[in-house]
């Protein structure tokens, strides 16, 4: 005899049975199969109670499970896969501290607008309120950093919640979904016939621009004396590169890419005026924003970085972003690619092309002047090296189509200007949230993406020595999965700046070390490359350009494991003089 418990209409029916009468399935299997049904491919995580069996079920269902060394790095890797594929990666975490460790990654994904699904195991329901193992209000903790946060109470509706979580992470402005699974729910068994299966959620609907607004935008551009396009990572995510390249080339419009907007149009394009960043922003009279936000990266769109009379044409997939910081002259809610196609068609019908020669001359003159200053620094190969020299010689050797992951303060900022991208989504860095520690997780995701979609493409992960310290042991993850990532550590012995070895020893002798060692200093001349020896390989320690060139050429030939190049630079190396600080002062 089987015992059947029925519930009122519209309520899922749980069918507890004898295996002789029907097939039953546990929550782990239902969840794993639901993820597969929604097109999820990769799971990054760190297992423990109560998700060990879940990770195994995921592999049995055909998902790729990548075991990371901590939850934060796993969360960074999962969101990077989401950005690269437009389908959320999954970050799997244990209860309590496991989720808390991942929250930094969740915040980064939410603010960067990258799709991510975090799945957390949690305290068994019958242990709540009496001191259960790692009991924690996980749904509430996750909610500020999510678009959707829910705790499941029964196995039959798992596919429904998974579909909703994936859909909300990708529709509108992409972001984070969190699903919480009590341990007893994952182990609970239910009749397979009572599981409510869901079809794969469709791709997000395409939002085209209002034709009247396209006309207004086109009229502004055609009457501008100093038009400028700013390309953000939203344009890269939208896959708008073909339309934007057509627009730039057809109408000779100058453009600036934001750091992760690089490569939508190649950085070496004749109309890229990145070396004249300040001049372009200060003097443009009409600016077309394509998937870029007027936040701190673009100095909020305000003077003195911008002309006080500049007119913005703002295009964004998220209507709430329109008019943020300052009012836009034309605000357009639309998919970037769809809008750009519409704009190109309108401008073509008008027979317009940008012939504002004084504007082009002004920008090109400034570009040439700044390139000359930078090249003098880049050609200075005296030891200890400077940032510009290191990046200049790296750029000469790395493939043009490689994926560049970068983090650190000066390492990231200077590298952004010196290392060129020719393809979209081929630069991953600290992003809108300015998060340090993302590098190795991003690199792992990029290497897996290359394995699937672009075999043979190289991933170059360029780290400041401080940034590398956040997740340095993920090198073991790279070895375990045979990921050929070239890690270059630009080592200046500190955070922002360091000191040389003799000065560091003198400081240590000045008194109580916790009171005399400046907060920005790290131990000098650390041989990070020796981490490779733990895995039977050798890294590279470089102090001059010939050593760096040789190390990089050797590393690029390796296809079965990571490499580490530790290049020492001057502890006092810095950026070239800037007219404005990197972060606009609040008083401005």
């Amino acid at each position: 005899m089987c015992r059947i418990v029925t519930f009122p209409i519209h309520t899922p029916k749980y069918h507890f049975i004898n295996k002789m009468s029907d097939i039953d399935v546990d929550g782990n299997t239902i969840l794993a199969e639901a993820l597969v049904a929604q097109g999820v491919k990769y799971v990054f995580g760190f297992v423990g109670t109560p998700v060990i069996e879940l990770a195994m079920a995921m592999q049995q269902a055909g998902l790729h499970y990548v075991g990371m060394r901590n939850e934060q790095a796993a969360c960074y890797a999962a969101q990077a896969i989401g950005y690269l594929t437009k389908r959320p990666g999954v970050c799997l975490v244990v209860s309590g501290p496991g989720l808390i460790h991942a929250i930094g990654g969740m915040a980064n994904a939410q603010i960067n607008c990258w799709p991510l699904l975090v799945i957390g195991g949690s305290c068994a329901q019958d242990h709540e309120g009496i001191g259960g193992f790692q009991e924690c209000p996980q749904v509430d903790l996750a909610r500020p950093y999510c678009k959707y946060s829910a705790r499941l109470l029964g196995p039959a509706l798992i596919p429904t919640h998974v579909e909703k979580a994936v859909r909300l992470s990708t529709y509108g402005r992409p972001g984070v979904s969190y699903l919480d699974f009590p341990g007893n729910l994952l182990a609970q068994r239910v009749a397979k016939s009572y599981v409510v299966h869901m079809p794969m959620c469709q791709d997000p609907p395409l939002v085209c621009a209002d034709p009247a607004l396209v006309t207004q935008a086109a009229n502004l551009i055609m009457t501008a004396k100093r038009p400028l396009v700013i390309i953000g990572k939203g344009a890269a995510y939208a896959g708008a590169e073909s339309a934007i390249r057509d627009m730039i080339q057809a109408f000779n419009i100058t453009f600036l890419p934001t750091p992760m907007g690089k490569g939508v149009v190649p950085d070496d394009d004749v109309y890229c005026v990145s070396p004249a960043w300040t001049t372009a922003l200060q003097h443009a009279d009409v600016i077309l924003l394509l998937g870029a936000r007027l936040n701190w990266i673009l100095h909020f769109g305000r003077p003195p970085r911008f002309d006080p009379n500049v007119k913005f044409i703002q295009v964004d997939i998220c209507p709430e972003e329109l008019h943020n910081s300052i009012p836009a002259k034309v605000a357009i809610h639309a998919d970037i690619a769809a809008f750009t196609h519409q704009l190109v068609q309108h401008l073509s019908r008008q027979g317009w092309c940008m012939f504002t020669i004084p504007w082009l001359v002004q920008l090109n003159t400034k570009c040439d002047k700044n390139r000359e200053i930078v090249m003098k620094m880049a050609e200075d190969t005296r030891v200890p090296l400077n940032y510009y020299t290191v990046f200049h010689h790296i750029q000469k050797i790395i493939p043009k189509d490689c994926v560049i992951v970068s983090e650190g303060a000066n390492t990231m900022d200077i590298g952004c200007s010196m290392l060129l991208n020719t393809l979209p989504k081929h630069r991953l860095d600290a992003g809108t949230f300015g998060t340090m520690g993302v590098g190795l997780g991003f690199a792992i995701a990029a290497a897996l993406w290359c394995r699937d979609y672009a075999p043979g493409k190289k991933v170059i992960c360029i780290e400041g020595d401080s940034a590398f310290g956040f997740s340095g042991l993920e090198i073991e993850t790279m070895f375990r999965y045979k990921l050929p990532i070239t890690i270059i550590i630009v080592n200046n012995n500190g955070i922002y700046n360091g000191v040389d070895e003799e000065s560091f020893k003198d400081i240590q002798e000045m008194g109580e070390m916790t009171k005399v060692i400046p907060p920005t200093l790290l131990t000098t001349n650390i041989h990070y490359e020796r981490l490779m020896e733990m895995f039977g390989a050798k890294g590279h320690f470089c102090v001059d350009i010939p050593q760096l060139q040789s190390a990089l050429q050797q590393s690029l030939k390796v296809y079965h494991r990571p490499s580490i190049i530790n290049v020492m630079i001057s502890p006092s190396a810095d950026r070239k003089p800037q007219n404005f600080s990197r972060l606009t002062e609040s008083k401005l």
Side-chain angles (χ1 to χ4, degrees):
M1 294 287 293
C2 65
R3 180 168 59 89
I4 301 176
V5 180
T6 58
F7 292 80
I9 193 167
H10 303 309
T11 301
K13 293 184 288 184
Y14 297 92
H15 194 174
F16 300 97
I17 58 171
N18 185 311
K19 292 186 179 180
M20 296 290 291
S21 60
D22 197 358
I23 299 173
D24 66 341
V25 63
D26 66 6
N28 291 311
T29 301
I30 297 171
L31 175 52
E33 293 179 351
L35 292 169
V36 172
Q38 293 306 320
V40 172
K41 188 171 183 178
Y42 276 100
V43 180
F44 302 84
F46 192 99
V47 297
T49 303
V51 298
I52 296 175
E53 292 79 7
L54 174 57
M56 294 177 178
M58 288 172 166
Q59 289 182 314
Q60 291 172 359
L63 293 166
H64 296 272
Y65 178 81
V66 180
M68 305 286 285
R69 297 308 300 258
N70 69 72
E71 293 90 352
Q72 199 168 32
C75 204
Y76 295 142
Q79 66 194 255
I81 278 287
Y83 174 67
L84 293 169
T85 66
K86 302 182 74 171
R87 208 70 179 179
V90 169
C91 175
L92 177 65
V93 300
V94 301
S95 51
L99 173 68
I100 292 171
H101 292 167
I103 283 177
M106 295 168 69
N108 188 70
Q110 184 74 355
I111 292 172
N112 267 339
C113 310
W114 288 2
L116 169 69
L117 173 55
V118 177
I119 291 176
S122 61
C123 172
Q125 291 157 306
D126 56 342
H127 290 176
E128 287 186 1
I130 57 173
F133 177 66
Q134 296 182 333
E135 182 180 351
C136 184
Q138 295 177 195
V139 174
D140 291 335
L141 286 173
R143 189 166 283 123
Y145 310 101
C146 291
K147 295 178 69 179
Y148 178 58
S149 180
R151 186 179 202 192
L152 281 71
L153 300 178
L157 285 180
I158 286 175
T160 301
H161 285 275
V162 169
E163 187 276 340
K164 183 175 182 179
V166 170
R167 175 163 40 87
L168 293 186
S169 75
T170 56
Y171 276 41
R173 171 181 279 178
V176 183
S177 292
Y178 173 69
L179 293 179
D180 192 77
F181 290 87
N184 56 327
L185 183 147
L186 292 172
Q188 185 176 335
R189 306 187 74 85
V190 64
K192 194 169 185 178
S193 59
Y194 282 87
V195 176
V196 182
H197 295 287
M198 296 292 291
M200 181 186 296
C201 70
Q202 300 300 308
D203 291 337
L206 186 66
V207 181
C208 293
D210 181 342
L213 295 177
V214 175
T215 299
Q216 290 181 35
N219 289 340
L220 268 183
I221 293 171
M222 289 189 293
T223 56
K225 293 182 179 179
R226 299 178 300 279
L228 179 70
V229 177
I230 298 180
I231 303 170
K233 68 174 176 290
Y237 183 83
E241 59 270 14
S242 178
I244 295 176
R245 291 180 184 192
D246 288 346
M247 179 183 68
I248 298 297
Q249 296 304 318
F251 307 118
N252 305 334
I253 306 178
T254 55
F255 72 92
L256 290 174
T258 64
M260 277 192 277
K262 287 161 59 70
V264 172
V265 182
D267 286 340
D268 57 5
D269 188 276
V270 65
Y271 295 108
C272 179
V273 292
S274 290
W277 176 276
T278 295
T279 300
L281 295 185
Q282 283 189 313
H283 297 284
D285 58 355
V286 171
I287 294 178
L288 173 59
L289 290 171
L290 296 178
R293 291 176 276 177
L294 292 177
N295 55 22
W296 67 273
I297 294 176
L298 290 177
H299 322 287
F300 312 106
R302 300 174 182 175
R305 297 306 303 262
F306 289 81
D307 187 309
N309 298 313
V310 65
K311 298 179 178 66
F312 285 102
I313 304 166
Q314 189 178 12
V315 186
D316 204 284
I317 196 64
C318 176
E320 289 84 357
E321 185 62 35
L322 301 175
H323 304 295
N324 188 45
S325 183
I326 63 170
K329 187 68 175 179
V330 183
I332 301 172
H333 174 218
D335 174 82
I336 302 296
F339 163 81
T340 307
H341 279 301
Q342 293 173 270
L343 180 64
V344 167
Q345 290 175 356
H346 189 100
L347 293 175
S348 296
R349 287 195 297 268
Q350 301 300 316
W352 179 80
C353 189
M354 191 180 82
F355 290 112
T356 53
I357 302 301
W359 177 231
L360 292 174
V361 170
Q362 180 184 7
L363 292 175
N364 287 332
T365 299
K366 187 63 175 178
C367 285
D368 291 342
K369 180 179 179 180
N370 283 342
R371 287 191 184 105
E372 184 179 348
I373 294 171
V374 168
M375 190 53 61
K376 287 182 180 179
M377 301 174 72
E379 292 176 344
D380 180 4
T381 59
R382 292 174 297 177
V383 176
L385 301 171
N386 68 68
Y387 285 104
Y388 294 87
T389 303
V390 170
F391 288 128
H392 174 65
H393 289 87
I394 290 173
Q395 175 63 38
K396 282 186 172 183
I397 295 175
I398 60 176
K400 289 186 66 175
D401 69 342
C402 67
V403 178
I404 298 172
V405 179
S406 182
E407 65 171 329
N410 288 331
T411 299
M412 184 176 67
D413 292 340
I414 299 171
C416 182
S417 64
M418 298 292 292
L419 302 176
L420 306 184
N421 291 97
T422 60
L423 295 171
K425 296 185 181 179
H426 278 54
R427 176 183 167 86
L428 305 174
D429 66 23
T432 308
F433 208 30
T435 307
M436 290 295 111
V438 298
L440 274 67
F442 282 4
I444 287 169
L448 292 167
W449 178 86
C450 290
R451 180 180 290 179
D452 291 343
Y453 299 98
K457 187 184 289 286
K458 305 301 289 187
V459 176
I460 313 296
C461 181
I462 302 179
E463 300 274 303
D465 50 333
S466 173
F468 180 75
F470 280 78
S471 301
L473 204 55
E474 294 299 341
I475 187 74
E476 186 274 328
T477 307
M478 298 177 186
F479 267 96
R480 193 172 357 125
Y481 294 102
K482 298 184 177 180
L483 300 177
I485 299 165
T486 299
I487 301 171
I488 303 174
I489 302 169
V490 183
N491 191 344
N492 69 347
N493 298 334
I495 304 168
Y496 299 110
N497 297 105
V499 296
D500 60 32
E501 192 167 8
E502 288 303 315
S503 297
F504 186 73
K505 290 179 180 178
D506 290 342
I507 292 171
Q508 287 180 307
E509 300 300 322
M510 291 171 61
E512 177 58 47
M513 286 185 284
T514 54
K515 295 181 179 180
V516 299
I517 295 179
T520 58
L521 295 192
L522 300 174
T523 304
T524 57
N525 298 339
I526 298 178
H527 283 265
Y528 297 105
E529 79 286 351
R530 290 183 181 171
L531 288 170
M532 297 286 290
E533 297 174 13
M534 296 191 296
F535 309 98
K538 287 190 176 182
H540 305 272
F541 184 77
C542 307
V543 297
D544 59 30
I545 292 303
Q547 290 175 345
L548 173 61
Q549 291 171 324
S550 175
L552 190 51
Q553 288 165 347
Q554 291 179 52
S555 296
L556 290 173
K557 295 177 182 178
V558 176
Y559 285 88
H560 63 283
R561 61 163 174 80
S563 304
I564 295 180
I565 300 171
N566 183 18
V567 54
M568 302 302 302
I569 65 169
S570 170
S572 59
D574 207 344
R575 300 182 70 184
K576 75 178 183 66
Q578 305 291 304
N579 292 331
F580 293 91
S581 63
R582 186 172 64 90
L583 296 177
T584 304
E585 297 294 334
S586 59
K587 64 178 180 289
L588 298 177

